[in-house]
Amino acid sequence: MNNEDKLNELDLLKELGNIGAGNAATALSQLLNKEIHMNVPLAKIVSFNEMMDLMGGSDRPVAAVFLRMEGELSGSLFFVLSLDDATKLINQLIPDKKISVEELPSHELGLSALQELGNIISAHYLTALSECIGLAVTPSVPQVTIDMVGAIVVTGLLEICQVSDHSIFIDTELTETTDNQIEKTKGHFFLIPYPDSFEKILAALGEK
Amino acid sequence: MTSVESVVKVGIAEMGIVKSPQLIRTAGLGSCVGVVIYDTSTKIAGMVHIMLPDSNLTRQAPVNADKYADTGILHLVDNLLLKGIKSYSMKAKIAGGAQMFQFSSSGTDMMRIGPRNVEAVKEKLAALHIPLISEDCGGNNGRTIEFNPENGKLMIKTVNKGVCYI
């Protein structure tokens, strides 16, 4: 395959990220009653260690919701937030029980709210993706955790790493527009398709 | 105390070797296992960041030896032997092998990969007669580790529990 084909494939994957994260951003906007925007996704073939750098260093502490895509496509989807943003989002969801960043890791109700938020917006991401490519994708029950981003995302690399030292990495950033027009990052979607799904995605997108 | 310490970083599925006063570190271990093999007399230490237990799992050619417990430890030991370290003076410390997520259904074996990595590392060290001095394995939290060949201490940092030395 020549480089031009490869770039075209990555553009198609970027488009996929656009569709998925666009729907998720709309869902998040409605949930929080705020304007949430999405930046143009990044689709890259990266080494595992480059991926860690792109995520801000493998020991950066984050709150993450993780789910597996199953069905005609398989892969991993992560919704990742800084601890500050996770706390702010939770406080918007359960306003009568304000929590602090320090309380977050052991706050059951807060984590449960975050899991539900992750559940809703990941479902929007995957439904849009599934409809767009015409392949059935079922999400697993999402899991939420607070830890180092590298330790978390490596779970999504276990299938791929038996085949390769590189992975397709689709990252979409969500931002919030505030009154003073300063955009603040609200979170990232990291989509990591498994190797066999990759071909299926390209075939499905190519036919459109 | 006159020399300046520098830290050599080991990435995922990578290996590195340092000599005091250098330190060696790997960040964000989840289900992966960080294996340190060191020698207190020459103050040389090596580290490998292992992702999977067994190189027979691979469907890749050529195999990245440092990715697997069996081949990664062998590769590290071979490189330490080249540095002049005697096999009988090698000692090991390990950390990692967490289970970051608890999936009840659709339990592919991959979800228990942390404990399996730890088992495989221990088997390989035992087979090579390298004594395991200390370990911090399992649980469900990520770890960043840093080894100091000067004093043989392995620092372990977690998000929720702070720093400890083993």
Side-chain angles (χ1 to χ4, degrees), chain A residues 49 68 143 147 161-162 165, chain B residues 12 59 67 102 111 142:
Chain A
N49 289 304
R68 290 172 156 255
Q143 307 254 323
D147 216 305
C161 79
Q162 299 166 60
D165 289 302
Chain B
I12 298 174
R59 286 173 278 146
K67 201 186 288 178
Q102 323 285 327
M111 283 302 148

Side-chain angles (χ1 to χ4, degrees), chain A residues 4 9 17 28 47 61 67 71-72 79 86-87 90-91 100 106 117 123 125-127 133-134 159 168 181 189-190 208:
Chain A
E4 203 173 314
E9 289 191 347
L28 191 61
S47 76
L67 57 90
E72 291 182 276
F79 176 53
T87 309
I90 290 167
N91 283 334
S100 66
S106 56
L117 177 87
Y125 190 113
L126 290 183
T127 305
I133 52 182
E159 308 282 339
I168 302 155
Q181 295 299 309
F189 280 103
F190 299 139
K208 296 261 158 178

Side-chain angles (χ1 to χ4, degrees), chain A residues 138-160:
Chain A
T138 327
S140 72
V141 175
Q143 307 254 323
V144 64
T145 192
I146 308 249
D147 216 305
M148 300 172 181
V149 68
I152 292 168
V153 175
V154 129
T155 310
L157 299 176
L158 291 174
E159 308 282 339
I160 281 171

Side-chain angles (χ1 to χ4, degrees), chain A residues 13-192:
Chain A
L13 292 172
K14 222 186 261 184
E15 184 54 31
L16 204 63
N18 241 328
I19 292 158
N23 274 265
T26 309
L28 191 61
S29 297
Q30 286 167 355
L31 262 176
L32 301 173
N33 200 20
K34 291 192 168 189
E35 252 186 79
I36 305 286
H37 294 277
M38 177 199 79
N39 293 353
V40 177
L42 167 89
K44 271 186 118 172
I45 296 172
V46 289
S47 76
F48 301 155
N49 289 304
E50 282 170 314
M51 187 187 297
M52 298 304 153
D53 291 342
L54 285 173
M55 297 187 303
S58 55
D59 54 357
R60 182 166 78 98
V62 293
V65 179
F66 165 50
L67 57 90
R68 290 172 156 255
M69 310 187 291
E70 289 150 3
E72 291 182 276
L73 281 186
S74 51
S76 302
L77 181 66
F78 297 88
F79 176 53
V80 174
L81 294 161
S82 73
L83 297 188
D84 275 344
D85 283 341
T87 309
K88 278 184 208 152
L89 280 184
I90 290 167
N91 283 334
Q92 285 166 23
L93 290 166
I94 43 169
D96 50 329
K97 296 193 174 72
K98 287 258 184 236
I99 65 168
S100 66
V101 175
E102 290 71 33
E103 286 171 296
L104 176 65
S106 56
H107 198 280
E108 271 185 42
L109 180 64
L111 292 178
S112 166
L114 188 61
Q115 181 175 8
E116 192 47 35
L117 177 87
N119 196 9
I120 293 166
I121 60 174
S122 307
H124 276 83
Y125 190 113
L126 290 183
T127 305
L129 189 143
S130 176
E131 277 172 6
C132 161
I133 52 182
L135 294 173
V137 183
T138 327
S140 72
V141 175
Q143 307 254 323
V144 64
T145 192
I146 308 249
D147 216 305
M148 300 172 181
V149 68
I152 292 168
V153 175
V154 129
T155 310
L157 299 176
L158 291 174
E159 308 282 339
I160 281 171
C161 79
Q162 299 166 60
V163 191
S164 165
D165 289 302
H166 290 77
S167 164
I168 302 155
F169 178 63
I170 306 166
D171 172 19
T172 318
E173 191 184 44
L174 298 178
T175 55
E176 180 188 330
T177 313
T178 55
D179 295 338
N180 53 10
Q181 295 299 309
I182 298 168
E183 289 209 330
K184 213 179 154 302
T185 304
K186 272 293 166 208
H188 286 265
F189 280 103
F190 299 139
L191 177 66
I192 306 173

